[in-house]
């Protein structure tokens, strides 16, 4: 090649580098043929480069104190709250990028997300989120402390709460709830054209207080127990893509750590047994879980098939040192068989799926799933001390294991251009150890009809029949032999289930869509005499969306749900001599409107209301079986107005009105001293009516 | 695994292998079956030809795609680095040609009015098959005929399903029955925007029918609630098996997402002589003789370690 041609080639290559596509004269079409792209200059394609910053400072004002309103919001005290959202975006036009998103930075629900990298080479992400969760509103307690919950020195014990003369003066408010801080890091990169690699780390830190009761013999204390726990999760995965297949190998690890190994508390009641002036309850033990998973999928030539194989093996461990058998030094507690559980659970799962299209209108799917939880925790004979008071009979621990297998065949048949029918057959086998029913077999038959009724309507009908039959129901010696043999636990008892669902979608006008859904589910437990006998649920929903003019969008929905159940019991350890029913009903409505004409103004309004009623009836042959209804009403109105003129500034204002009323017979009116043998926190159900106003200013920097 | 189980796996594999023939990609014959007839031509100028009409003022604005990963030409994997608009939309020669006054414009082959869900999804999956989406074929949403474009907005500056906001509304368009559940007094904070449907569900397909991210139901729950994982010295059998035995994860009118209120929930399974099997009536309400068996946590007032206990004396789940 002479110098002139070298220069020409160099020049052409330089032009190719500078201008990209024009000299990449051919691309490959789906059918493998070459496409002439020599004139595809993409002159009208904008480059994405530059930086952008959006700041949105806000001022919020909450009208009233309402801790329940602050649940998952972090806004519980009346007054002003400054807040800030920010968004920062940077692109170099060649693939490097950085996005920074900060939301609610002034509140306890702040969230930050940072994404950066070089597209096609690597990507990194950092996430942080704070989640406040408030429970047990209006709680009061005489206790203070952390690992040990102590009563004041002036405390007077008594046989019942009525005799606790120092109670009223000792009570102080306590915020029961937790703050969860979530941190996530992720790094991924495609290694060359066909490899991908990802590694991620996630940490949850939870702290605060949790309401939990603890007993000493027949007396109970409701405690605001301290919480300080950390969960970490890490995942590493690599994948490889071939012409017609993809395979991946991944590792998942998780660990849980609780900074408290147990919580002790002073017994506020007069001890019945000597030395039982304190109790101690265990917290969740530290544990870990590791799993390796391999998955592979491949397209097959015949019948447009695809095969998926996934195999996973895991191990969970827990070997935290046991707490002492009792905190009561007056008891001569026997020694434990070992110092820790040495707990180990092995899990295995295998999933196979084959999809195929043997004929144009027929698609098939065949699934096989296998899950095994093998609890290898050693069994030991553990001495028992009943609630730090009485030495009881030693008991063996029971490490539960189970195995589940299912085979599923599904067929989707397009019987007509507008009608499709789906058939499903499934068999599930469940094998349990050390439980009343060792094996259950469940057969499921499903039929789904989807019909396109012209341009304006779609119909969908689902029918499902599921029948579960188990092996002999027999009590397990040493484990469940104190149960009434007539009881059938519903999670493993024979069960007949039928489900139906009907959905009609209408589009009578291009701007109007309507929908209606109705579903029914009925569970019957035909064998045995005691326990859950029937459980039915029904739901009806109607929804509509209308866009009368380009600027308006209106939507509405209404839903009615009901869940009923019936159960039988025996107080005499014989046949059924009492029954109970639950009837939970929920009605939800919502309306929404959005007005966004051409111009700087936009307006949005959304209203919703959810009413729930829970009715409980216990029939014993004596009066008093009809409980007051459990009620809750949640109503919310959300209004927002935005003004975005040309320029860098835009303005917003908004209002959230929320009203919650609850009636709960299990909670209402129960003060710390109401129940003679239970010192309560005196919590209240959520009840509030508040308005949250907000003003915002958005500034865009380019 | 026991023998019975072992015998089933080879059976499943035999079924698979009986269908297997020497593997290759879908043949051009099958492509021909989907799109019979002569293949339309590509445009002469690519995106420049499309963008003459589909600019910012068009009825179907598309320019925001250039602010998304799909629009980065410097990344050779992207559509814009290859066949540009026609990489996804198919050959646009006929759609983009000059027309006579009375001539109707032919539709774009893909992602236009002539929707072919399977073919369009294949376009997306050609690039986006990875470990998060490899279970899509045969999954619930695939069998429903859901198209990628039914949930994702490729031409939007920010796809709500990827950015994380607005995801709930897209899911609720079909799963409307869950909307009321999220508004109940005890619910996961999806309504507050602190959780998304995809925190628990993998809409692109999973090994189980509920499309849970970690397959087995409990492992998904342990992602946030690892304190329940154990193993524990004293286990509560249904807890280790399936959290949804007692909990309704979307929302419930009962506290702690319970499906039913204690004591009746517990008495669905427990029938031991003595207090476990006694019926509790309004006689235990505060207006009568307030009973710790009935009020507040009911059974869990004493048996507060309902998920299991690691205390050596915790057999009765009260330590």
């Amino acid at each position: 090649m002479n110098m002139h041609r070298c220069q020409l080639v160099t020049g052409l290559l330089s032009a190719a580098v500078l201008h990209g596509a024009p000299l990449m004269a051919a691309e490959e079409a789906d059918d493998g043929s070459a496409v002439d792209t020599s004139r595809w200059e993409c002159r009208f394609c904008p480059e994405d480069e530059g930086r952008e910053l959006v700041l949105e400072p806000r001022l919020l004002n909450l009208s009233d104190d309402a801790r329940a309103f602050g649940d998952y919001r972090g806004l519980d005290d009346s007054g002003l709250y400054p807040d800030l959202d920010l968004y920062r975006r940077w692109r170099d036009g060649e693939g490097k990028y950085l996005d920074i998103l900060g939301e609610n930075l002034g509140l306890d629900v702040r969230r930050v997300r940072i994404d950066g990298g070089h597209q096609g080479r690597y990507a990194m992400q950092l996430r942080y989120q704070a989640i406040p969760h408030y429970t047990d509103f209006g709680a009061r307690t005489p206790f203070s402390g952390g690992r040990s919950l102590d009563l004041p020195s002036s405390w007077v014990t008594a046989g019942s709460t009525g005799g606790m003369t120092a109670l009223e003066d000792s009570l102080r408010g306590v915020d029961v709830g937790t703050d969860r801080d979530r941190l996530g890091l992720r790094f991924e990169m495609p290694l060359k054209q066909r490899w991908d690699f990802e590694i991620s780390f996630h940490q949850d830190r939870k702290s605060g207080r949790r309401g939990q009761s603890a007993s000493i013999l027949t007396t109970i204390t409701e405690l605001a127990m301290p919480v300080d726990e950390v969960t970490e999760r890490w995942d590493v995965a690599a994948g490889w893509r071939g012409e017609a297949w993809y395979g991946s190998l991944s590792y998942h690890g998780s660990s849980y750590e609780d900074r408290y190994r147990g919580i002790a508390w002073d017994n506020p009641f007069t001890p019945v047994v000597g030395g039982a002036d304190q109790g101690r309850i265990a917290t969740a033990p530290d544990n870990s879980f590791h799993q390796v998973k391999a998955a592979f999928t491949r397209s097959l030539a015949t019948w447009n098939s695809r095969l998926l194989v996934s195999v996973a093996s895991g191990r969970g461990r827990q070997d935290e040192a046991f707490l002492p058998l009792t905190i009561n030094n007056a008891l001569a507690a026997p020694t434990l068989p070992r110092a820790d559980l040495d707990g180990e659970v092995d899990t295995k799962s295998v999933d196979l799926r084959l999809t195929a299209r043997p004929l144009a209108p027929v698609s098939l799917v065949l699934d096989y799933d296998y899950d095994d939880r093998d609890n290898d925790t050693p069994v030991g004979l553990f001495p028992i001390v009943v609630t730090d008071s009485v030495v009881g009979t030693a008991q063996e621990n029971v490490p539960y294991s189970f195995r589940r297998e299912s085979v599923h065949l599904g067929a989707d048949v397009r019987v007509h251009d507008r009608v499709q029918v789906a058939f499903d057959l499934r068999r599930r086998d469940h094998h349990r150890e050390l439980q009343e029913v060792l094996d259950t077999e469940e057969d499921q038959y499903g039929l789904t009809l989807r019909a396109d009724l012209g341009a304006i309507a779609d119909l969908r009908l689902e029918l499902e029949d599921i029948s579960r039959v188990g092996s002999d129901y027999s009590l397990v010696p040493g484990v469940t032999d104190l149960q009434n043999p007539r009881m059938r636990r519903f999670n493993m008892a024979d069960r007949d289930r039928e489900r139906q669902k009907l959905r009609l979608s209408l589009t009578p006008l291009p701007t109007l869509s309507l929908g209606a859904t109705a579903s029914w589910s009925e569970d019957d437990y035909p064998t045995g005499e005691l326990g859950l006998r029937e459980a039915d649920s029904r739901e009806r929903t109607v929804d509509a969306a209308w866009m009368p003019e380009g600027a308006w969008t209106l939507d509405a929905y209404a839903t009615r749900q009901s869940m009923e159940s019936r159960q039988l019991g025996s107080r005499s350890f014989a046949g059924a001599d009492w029954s109970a029913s639950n009837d939970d009903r929920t009605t939800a409505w919502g309306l929404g409107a959005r007005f966004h004409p051409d111009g700087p103004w936009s307006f949005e309004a959304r209203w919703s209301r959810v009413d729930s009623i829970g009715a409980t009836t216990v029939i014993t042959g004596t009066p008093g079986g009809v409980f007051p209804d459990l009620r809750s009403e949640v109503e919310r109105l959300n209004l927002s107005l935005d003004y975005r003129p040309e320029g860098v500034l835009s303005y917003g204002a908004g209002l959230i009105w929320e009203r919650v009323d609850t009636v709960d017979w299990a909670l209402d009116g129960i003060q710390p001293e109401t129940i003679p043998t239970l010192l309560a926190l005196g919590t209240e159900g959520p009840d509030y009516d508040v308005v949250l106003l907000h003003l915002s200013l958005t500034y865009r920097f380019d | 695994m026991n023998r019975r189980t072992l015998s089933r796996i080879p059976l499943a594999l035999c079924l698979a292998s009986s269908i297997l023939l020497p593997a290759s990609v879908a043949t051009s014959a099958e492509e021909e079956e989907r799109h019979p007839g002569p293949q339309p031509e590509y445009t002469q100028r690519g995106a420049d030809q499309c963008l003459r009409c589909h600019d910012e003022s068009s009825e179907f604005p598309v320019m925001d795609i250039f602010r998304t990963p799909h629009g980065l030409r410097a990344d050779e994997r992207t559509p814009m680095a290859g066949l540009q608009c026609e990489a996804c939309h198919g050959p646009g020669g006929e759609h983009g040609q000059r027309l006579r006054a009375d001539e109707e414009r032919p539709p774009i082959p893909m992602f236009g009015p002539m929707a072919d869900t399977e073919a369009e999804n294949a376009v997306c999956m050609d690039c986006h098959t990875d470990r998060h989406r490899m279970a899509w074929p045969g999954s619930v949403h695939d069998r429903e005929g859901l198209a990628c474009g039914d949930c994702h907005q490729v031409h939007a500056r920010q796809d709500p399903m990827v950015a994380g906001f607005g995801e709930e509304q897209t899911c609720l368009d079909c799963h409307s029955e869950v909307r009321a559940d999220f508004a109940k007094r005890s619910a996961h904070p999806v309504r507050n925007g602190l959780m998304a449907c995809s925190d628990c569900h993998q809409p692109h397909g999973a090994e189980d029918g509920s499309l849970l991210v970690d397959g087995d139901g409990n492992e998904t729950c342990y992602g946030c609630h690892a304190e329940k994982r154990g193993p524990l010295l004293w286990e509560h059998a249904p807890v280790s098996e399936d959290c949804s035995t007692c909990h309704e994860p979307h929302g419930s009118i009962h506290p702690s997402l319970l499906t039913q209120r204690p004591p009746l929930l517990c008495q669905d399974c427990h029938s031991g002589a003595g207090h476990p099997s006694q019926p509790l009536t309004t006689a235990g309400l505060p207006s009568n003789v307030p009973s710790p068996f009935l009020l507040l946590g009911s059974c869990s007032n004493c048996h507060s370690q309902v998920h299991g206990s690691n205390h050596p004396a915790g057999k009765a789940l009260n330590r």
Side-chain angles (χ1 to χ4, degrees), chain A residues 39 43 47 119 213 241 282 287 353 357 388 404 424 432 450 460 483 539 561 582 584 624 666, chain B residues 45 48 69 73 118 129 135 143-144 177 184 216 229 241 254 260 271 282 296 304-305 319:
Chain A
R39 297 166 70 189
R43 287 182 293 127
E47 294 289 346
Q119 184 175 325
S213 295
R241 182 193 315 277
N287 65 69
R353 178 183 295 166
R357 175 167 284 192
D388 293 301
R404 294 187 282 231
D424 288 277
R432 299 174 172 90
R450 291 193 285 270
R460 179 192 177 86
Q483 298 297 318
E539 176 157 339
Q561 285 179 342
N582 277 118
D584 296 342
Chain B
R45 295 191 182 274
D48 286 339
R73 287 179 289 140
E118 188 177 339
T129 294
R143 294 185 65 203
E144 288 293 324
E177 70 278 6
K184 291 175 180 172
D216 170 72
R229 181 166 51 209
E241 192 173 302
H254 304 292
Q260 194 180 6
S271 61
T282 55
L296 297 178
S304 59
Q305 302 279 56
R319 277 296 177 271

Side-chain angles (χ1 to χ4, degrees), chain B residues 155-168:
Chain B
H155 280 277
R157 182 173 296 198
Q158 280 185 308
D159 179 0
M161 303 301 280
V162 176
F165 64 87
E167 176 185 305
E168 170 199 347

Side-chain angles (χ1 to χ4, degrees), chain B residues 110-277:
Chain B
M110 303 276 269
F111 299 101
M114 308 301 291
D116 179 342
T117 298
E118 188 177 339
E120 291 173 0
N121 286 357
V123 169
C124 304
M125 296 302 282
D126 202 30
C127 295
H128 291 288
T129 294
D130 57 16
R131 69 186 184 99
H132 301 295
R133 297 170 192 82
M134 56 198 302
W136 170 260
S139 68
V140 171
H141 284 147
D142 177 35
R143 294 185 65 203
E144 288 293 324
L146 212 63
C148 304
D150 287 336
C151 299
H152 290 284
Q153 299 177 32
V154 170
H155 280 277
R157 182 173 296 198
Q158 280 185 308
D159 179 0
M161 303 301 280
V162 176
F165 64 87
E167 176 185 305
E168 170 199 347
Q169 189 52 53
T170 301
C171 303
L172 291 179
D173 281 346
C174 292
H175 298 283
S176 55
E177 70 278 6
V178 179
R179 191 199 318 264
D181 290 339
F182 285 138
K184 291 175 180 172
R185 80 172 262 194
S186 176
H188 278 113
V190 173
R191 190 168 58 100
N192 308 80
L194 298 184
M195 282 185 71
C197 305
S198 60
D199 285 330
C200 297
H201 296 283
Q202 171 50 275
H204 302 114
E207 287 86 10
D208 79 318
S210 298
L211 299 183
L212 295 173
V213 293
D214 282 316
D216 170 72
N218 278 20
E219 195 56 43
T220 298
C221 306
Y222 296 151
C224 293
H225 302 286
E227 70 276 12
K228 312 288 193 298
R229 181 166 51 209
L232 301 169
L233 176 60
W234 309 108
E235 292 198 323
H236 192 183
V239 171
S240 59
E241 192 173 302
D242 188 351
C243 302
S244 65
T245 300
C246 297
H247 295 283
E248 170 47 66
H250 295 126
S252 170
I253 73 170
H254 304 292
S256 305
L257 299 170
L258 291 172
T259 56
Q260 194 180 6
R261 189 71 67 105
L264 292 176
L265 174 64
C266 312
Q267 290 174 320
D268 278 333
C269 291
H270 291 280
S271 61
H275 71 274
S277 54

Side-chain angles (χ1 to χ4, degrees), chain B residues 89-101:
Chain B
H89 288 284
E94 290 182 8
H95 175 72
Q97 67 189 355
R98 289 174 189 264
L99 301 174
R100 293 193 302 275

Side-chain angles (χ1 to χ4, degrees), chain A residues 27 29 39-40 42-48 52 72 89 94-95 111 119-120 129 180 182 212-213 215 220 233 237 241 244 246 254 256 280-282 285 287 293 298 300-302 304 306 318 322-323 325 336 341 351 353-354 357 368-370 373 375 382 385 387-388 396-397 402-405 412 424 429-430 432 450 460 482-484 487 531 539 557 561 567 570-571 578 582 584 586 610 612 624 626-627 630 636 664 666 674, chain B residues 1-2 4-5 8-9 15 19-21 23 25 30 42-46 48 51 63 66-67 69 72-75 77-78 83 86 118 127 129-131 135 137-139 143-144 177 179 181 183-185 189 191 193-194 206-207 214 216 224 226-227 229-235 237 240-241 245 253-254 260-261 264 267-273 277-282 290 292 295-296 301-302 304-305 310-313 318-319:
Chain A
E27 289 287 339
R39 297 166 70 189
W40 291 27
C42 220
R43 287 182 293 127
F44 300 143
C45 304
E47 294 289 346
D48 185 15
E52 183 182 332
Y72 293 131
R89 186 179 194 272
E94 295 298 321
R111 170 161 47 189
Q119 184 175 325
Q129 183 168 32
R180 192 190 284 254
R182 322 195 85 176
Q212 182 172 352
S213 295
S215 62
I220 305 159
R233 173 184 174 136
R241 182 193 315 277
Y246 180 85
S254 171
Y256 169 82
R280 182 165 54 202
I281 192 167
N287 65 69
K293 180 174 178 178
R298 186 182 183 101
L300 308 169
T302 306
N304 198 20
R306 194 162 187 100
Q318 190 275 99
F322 287 131
L323 286 172
L325 198 56
L336 297 172
L341 181 67
D351 299 285
R353 178 183 295 166
L354 180 67
R357 175 167 284 192
Y368 169 79
D369 298 293
Y370 172 89
R373 180 186 192 258
N375 193 337
F382 286 81
V385 175
T387 62
D388 293 301
E396 273 189 351
N397 61 310
F402 63 82
R403 186 180 66 245
R404 294 187 282 231
E405 282 183 272
D412 298 288
D424 288 277
D429 287 353
H430 198 139
R432 299 174 172 90
R450 291 193 285 270
R460 179 192 177 86
L482 297 180
Q483 298 297 318
N484 188 320
M487 164 62 75
E539 176 157 339
Y557 69 88
Q561 285 179 342
Q567 66 195 90
S570 172
R571 74 192 100 181
W578 64 268
N582 277 118
D584 296 342
T586 299
V610 181
S612 300
V626 180
F627 281 79
L630 299 162
R636 174 193 281 187
D664 187 337
T674 299
Chain B
M1 293 182 200
N2 61 23
R4 187 166 155 228
T5 308
R8 288 191 178 174
I9 295 177
L15 280 170
I19 299 170
L20 284 177
L21 287 180
V25 299
E30 287 161 337
Y42 287 79
T43 61
Q44 293 186 351
R45 295 191 182 274
D48 286 339
L51 295 177
M63 298 297 285
F66 293 101
R67 291 176 58 93
L72 180 68
R73 287 179 289 140
D75 181 356
R77 306 170 306 160
T78 67
L83 290 174
E86 292 160 273
E118 188 177 339
C127 295
T129 294
D130 57 16
R131 69 186 184 99
S139 68
R143 294 185 65 203
E144 288 293 324
E177 70 278 6
R179 191 199 318 264
D181 290 339
K184 291 175 180 172
R185 80 172 262 194
R191 190 168 58 100
L194 298 184
E207 287 86 10
D214 282 316
D216 170 72
C224 293
E227 70 276 12
R229 181 166 51 209
L232 301 169
L233 176 60
W234 309 108
E235 292 198 323
S240 59
E241 192 173 302
T245 300
I253 73 170
H254 304 292
Q260 194 180 6
R261 189 71 67 105
L264 292 176
Q267 290 174 320
D268 278 333
C269 291
H270 291 280
S271 61
S277 54
Q278 298 304 305
L280 295 166
T281 67
T282 55
L295 301 172
L296 297 178
N301 286 334
C302 289
S304 59
Q305 302 279 56
N310 207 55
H311 193 294
N318 52 13
R319 277 296 177 271

